[in-house]
Amino acid sequence: STVEDWELGISFEKVFSSTNGFSADNLIGSGSFGSVYEGVLDEDGPIVAVKILNLQQKGASKSFMDELRALRSIRHRNLLKILAACSSIDPQGKDFKCLVFEFMSKGNLDQWLHQRCDDQCQPRSLDIVQRLNIAVDIASALDYLHNYCQKPIVHCDLKPSNILLDENMTAHVGDFGLATFLLEDSTLSQTISAGLKGSIGYIPPGIFSINSLENLWL
């Protein structure tokens, strides 16, 4: 699957304009494969999150296509929704790739679990009901990915920073750059052993079931 044949492809110019020229004031986060900016695609439109891939990073292009491939085939209330994508050339003639997602106004679960202060130095905390609801949201997303997709999907990098929270504190699983499709004639152990992926601290020491692999964030 390519961006060119995907109905939600957008231009570099629109992405550039939506983020005020990738302004530092719009930067809301960064990771191993790129940076995320706050933006608005259309006048009076909703705020979006624009994930710009760092194509100098090894594996970034593959991560982009893997994430696009996974996200275009799934729909669930607890999965981060992709709105658009861009694969183009920037004004300097360099390759440019980005993904556009719903904006999650409450940030990610990592920011809440570790009691950091927000920009106004207000301590963040979760009560027991919120924690339970978030756990149920994540479990619902994983149940869908594992059991109800046309091809089962293993996220492979489930960690608090990849759990995004909307204004109602509903959890959405995001960052499918390392996601793996399970083939009908493959076992889980064969799939994982072919190339174990994920963040340090969230990869199991051995080959476990899908549920144990994807619940190490607890």
Side-chain angles (χ1 to χ4, degrees), residues 38-87:
E38 180 180 327
V40 178
L41 290 180
D42 301 300
E43 187 175 354
D44 299 323
I47 298 174
V48 297
V50 182
K51 180 180 179 179
I52 309 295
L53 277 294
N54 175 14
L55 299 180
Q56 303 304 311
Q57 177 71 31
K58 183 179 180 181
S61 291
K62 183 179 185 302
S63 173
F64 169 82
M65 294 310 303
D66 287 348
E67 187 162 11
L68 181 60
R69 179 176 173 234
L71 289 171
R72 65 175 295 177
S73 65
I74 55 180
R75 293 289 185 276
H76 190 277
R77 66 181 294 273
N78 297 121
L79 296 176
L80 190 62
K81 183 179 180 181
I82 187 170
L83 304 176
C86 176
S87 180

Side-chain angles (χ1 to χ4, degrees), residues 3 14 18 20 30 38 48 50 68 84-85 100 105 115 127 129 154-155 168 171 174 187 192 205 210:
V3 173
K14 189 164 190 176
S18 73
N20 293 320
S30 59
E38 180 180 327
V48 297
V50 182
L68 181 60
V100 181
S105 61
Q115 301 288 306
D127 61 37
V129 174
V154 180
H155 185 279
N168 299 313
T187 65
I192 296 176
I210 290 179

